[in-house]
mmCIF file of all heavy atoms in Angstrom:
data_model
loop_
_atom_site.group_PDB
_atom_site.id
_atom_site.type_symbol
_atom_site.label_atom_id
_atom_site.label_comp_id
_atom_site.label_asym_id
_atom_site.label_seq_id
_atom_site.Cartn_x
_atom_site.Cartn_y
_atom_site.Cartn_z
ATOM 1 N N PRO A 730 63.909 2.498 -43.075
ATOM 2 C CA PRO A 730 64.402 3.748 -43.658
ATOM 3 C C PRO A 730 63.568 4.136 -44.883
ATOM 4 O O PRO A 730 62.991 3.279 -45.563
ATOM 5 C CB PRO A 730 65.841 3.421 -44.065
ATOM 6 C CG PRO A 730 66.185 2.169 -43.340
ATOM 7 C CD PRO A 730 64.905 1.426 -43.144
ATOM 8 N N ASP A 731 63.497 5.410 -45.150
ATOM 9 C CA ASP A 731 62.800 5.928 -46.323
ATOM 10 C C ASP A 731 63.778 5.881 -47.503
ATOM 11 O O ASP A 731 64.751 6.640 -47.531
ATOM 12 C CB ASP A 731 62.365 7.364 -46.028
ATOM 13 C CG ASP A 731 61.675 8.037 -47.211
ATOM 14 O OD1 ASP A 731 61.766 7.513 -48.333
ATOM 15 O OD2 ASP A 731 61.059 9.088 -46.995
ATOM 16 N N PRO A 732 63.564 4.988 -48.486
ATOM 17 C CA PRO A 732 64.554 4.829 -49.566
ATOM 18 C C PRO A 732 64.748 6.099 -50.384
ATOM 19 O O PRO A 732 65.853 6.367 -50.862
ATOM 20 C CB PRO A 732 63.977 3.693 -50.419
ATOM 21 C CG PRO A 732 62.527 3.625 -50.063
ATOM 22 C CD PRO A 732 62.429 4.062 -48.640
ATOM 23 N N TYR A 733 63.679 6.886 -50.569
ATOM 24 C CA TYR A 733 63.805 8.120 -51.355
ATOM 25 C C TYR A 733 64.646 9.152 -50.623
ATOM 26 O O TYR A 733 65.489 9.829 -51.226
ATOM 27 C CB TYR A 733 62.414 8.676 -51.666
ATOM 28 C CG TYR A 733 61.642 7.812 -52.631
ATOM 29 C CD1 TYR A 733 60.758 6.834 -52.174
ATOM 30 C CD2 TYR A 733 61.804 7.960 -54.012
ATOM 31 C CE1 TYR A 733 60.073 6.024 -53.060
ATOM 32 C CE2 TYR A 733 61.109 7.162 -54.905
ATOM 33 C CZ TYR A 733 60.243 6.190 -54.427
ATOM 34 O OH TYR A 733 59.563 5.394 -55.305
ATOM 35 N N LEU A 734 64.440 9.265 -49.331
ATOM 36 C CA LEU A 734 65.228 10.216 -48.546
ATOM 37 C C LEU A 734 66.683 9.752 -48.442
ATOM 38 O O LEU A 734 67.617 10.556 -48.536
ATOM 39 C CB LEU A 734 64.614 10.369 -47.150
ATOM 40 C CG LEU A 734 65.239 11.444 -46.255
ATOM 41 C CD1 LEU A 734 65.232 12.805 -46.942
ATOM 42 C CD2 LEU A 734 64.494 11.507 -44.925
ATOM 43 N N GLN A 735 66.879 8.435 -48.257
ATOM 44 C CA GLN A 735 68.239 7.903 -48.174
ATOM 45 C C GLN A 735 68.999 8.146 -49.478
ATOM 46 O O GLN A 735 70.163 8.542 -49.453
ATOM 47 C CB GLN A 735 68.203 6.404 -47.865
ATOM 48 C CG GLN A 735 67.726 6.053 -46.469
ATOM 49 C CD GLN A 735 68.677 6.528 -45.384
ATOM 50 O OE1 GLN A 735 68.295 7.266 -44.491
ATOM 51 N NE2 GLN A 735 69.924 6.110 -45.480
ATOM 52 N N GLU A 736 68.338 7.939 -50.613
ATOM 53 C CA GLU A 736 69.014 8.135 -51.893
ATOM 54 C C GLU A 736 69.282 9.625 -52.148
ATOM 55 O O GLU A 736 70.325 9.988 -52.701
ATOM 56 C CB GLU A 736 68.188 7.541 -53.032
ATOM 57 C CG GLU A 736 68.753 7.770 -54.434
ATOM 58 C CD GLU A 736 70.184 7.266 -54.599
ATOM 59 O OE1 GLU A 736 70.607 6.338 -53.877
ATOM 60 O OE2 GLU A 736 70.880 7.805 -55.485
ATOM 61 N N THR A 737 68.363 10.489 -51.725
ATOM 62 C CA THR A 737 68.597 11.926 -51.847
ATOM 63 C C THR A 737 69.809 12.327 -51.027
ATOM 64 O O THR A 737 70.670 13.106 -51.478
ATOM 65 C CB THR A 737 67.360 12.719 -51.379
ATOM 66 O OG1 THR A 737 66.249 12.353 -52.184
ATOM 67 C CG2 THR A 737 67.592 14.223 -51.496
ATOM 68 N N GLY A 738 69.914 11.774 -49.808
ATOM 69 C CA GLY A 738 71.084 12.031 -48.976
ATOM 70 C C GLY A 738 72.362 11.533 -49.635
ATOM 71 O O GLY A 738 73.413 12.190 -49.569
ATOM 72 N N ALA A 739 72.282 10.378 -50.314
ATOM 73 C CA ALA A 739 73.458 9.817 -50.987
ATOM 74 C C ALA A 739 73.897 10.701 -52.151
ATOM 75 O O ALA A 739 75.103 10.915 -52.367
ATOM 76 C CB ALA A 739 73.144 8.404 -51.476
ATOM 77 N N VAL A 740 72.936 11.227 -52.917
ATOM 78 C CA VAL A 740 73.277 12.134 -54.029
ATOM 79 C C VAL A 740 73.944 13.390 -53.484
ATOM 80 O O VAL A 740 74.945 13.877 -54.034
ATOM 81 C CB VAL A 740 72.019 12.499 -54.830
ATOM 82 C CG1 VAL A 740 72.343 13.589 -55.870
ATOM 83 C CG2 VAL A 740 71.441 11.276 -55.528
ATOM 84 N N LEU A 741 73.388 13.927 -52.404
ATOM 85 C CA LEU A 741 73.952 15.141 -51.822
ATOM 86 C C LEU A 741 75.346 14.867 -51.251
ATOM 87 O O LEU A 741 76.257 15.705 -51.375
ATOM 88 C CB LEU A 741 73.026 15.677 -50.732
ATOM 89 C CG LEU A 741 73.375 17.041 -50.137
ATOM 90 C CD1 LEU A 741 73.531 18.103 -51.225
ATOM 91 C CD2 LEU A 741 72.316 17.469 -49.128
ATOM 92 N N ALA A 742 75.528 13.687 -50.661
ATOM 93 C CA ALA A 742 76.862 13.315 -50.156
ATOM 94 C C ALA A 742 77.865 13.223 -51.310
ATOM 95 O O ALA A 742 79.032 13.628 -51.170
ATOM 96 C CB ALA A 742 76.788 11.990 -49.396
ATOM 97 N N ASP A 743 77.414 12.696 -52.454
ATOM 98 C CA ASP A 743 78.268 12.666 -53.641
ATOM 99 C C ASP A 743 78.684 14.082 -54.037
ATOM 100 O O ASP A 743 79.851 14.331 -54.378
ATOM 101 C CB ASP A 743 77.535 12.017 -54.815
ATOM 102 C CG ASP A 743 77.340 10.517 -54.652
ATOM 103 O OD1 ASP A 743 78.084 9.906 -53.866
ATOM 104 O OD2 ASP A 743 76.429 9.973 -55.309
ATOM 105 N N LEU A 744 77.731 15.012 -54.016
ATOM 106 C CA LEU A 744 78.027 16.387 -54.377
ATOM 107 C C LEU A 744 79.037 17.002 -53.401
ATOM 108 O O LEU A 744 79.975 17.699 -53.818
ATOM 109 C CB LEU A 744 76.752 17.224 -54.399
ATOM 110 C CG LEU A 744 76.934 18.720 -54.706
ATOM 111 C CD1 LEU A 744 77.524 18.918 -56.101
ATOM 112 C CD2 LEU A 744 75.615 19.476 -54.560
ATOM 113 N N VAL A 745 78.838 16.724 -52.121
ATOM 114 C CA VAL A 745 79.777 17.245 -51.115
ATOM 115 C C VAL A 745 81.192 16.773 -51.429
ATOM 116 O O VAL A 745 82.154 17.557 -51.412
ATOM 117 C CB VAL A 745 79.350 16.797 -49.699
ATOM 118 C CG1 VAL A 745 80.447 17.104 -48.685
ATOM 119 C CG2 VAL A 745 78.045 17.481 -49.299
ATOM 120 N N ARG A 746 81.351 15.492 -51.756
ATOM 121 C CA ARG A 746 82.683 14.953 -52.045
ATOM 122 C C ARG A 746 83.255 15.543 -53.343
ATOM 123 O O ARG A 746 84.445 15.840 -53.426
ATOM 124 C CB ARG A 746 82.612 13.431 -52.120
ATOM 125 C CG ARG A 746 82.428 12.780 -50.742
ATOM 126 C CD ARG A 746 82.558 11.270 -50.811
ATOM 127 N NE ARG A 746 81.355 10.645 -51.338
ATOM 128 C CZ ARG A 746 80.336 10.236 -50.588
ATOM 129 N NH1 ARG A 746 80.376 10.412 -49.270
ATOM 130 N NH2 ARG A 746 79.291 9.658 -51.127
ATOM 131 N N LEU A 747 82.398 15.720 -54.353
ATOM 132 C CA LEU A 747 82.866 16.325 -55.607
ATOM 133 C C LEU A 747 83.335 17.759 -55.386
ATOM 134 O O LEU A 747 84.346 18.191 -55.964
ATOM 135 C CB LEU A 747 81.758 16.282 -56.659
ATOM 136 C CG LEU A 747 81.389 14.909 -57.228
ATOM 137 C CD1 LEU A 747 80.156 14.999 -58.126
ATOM 138 C CD2 LEU A 747 82.557 14.313 -58.009
#
Side-chain angles (χ1 to χ4, degrees):
D731 177 346
Y733 291 94
L734 186 55
Q735 291 294 123
E736 176 56 26
T737 300
V740 172
L741 188 54
D743 289 339
L744 177 62
V745 169
R746 287 188 282 270
L747 290 173

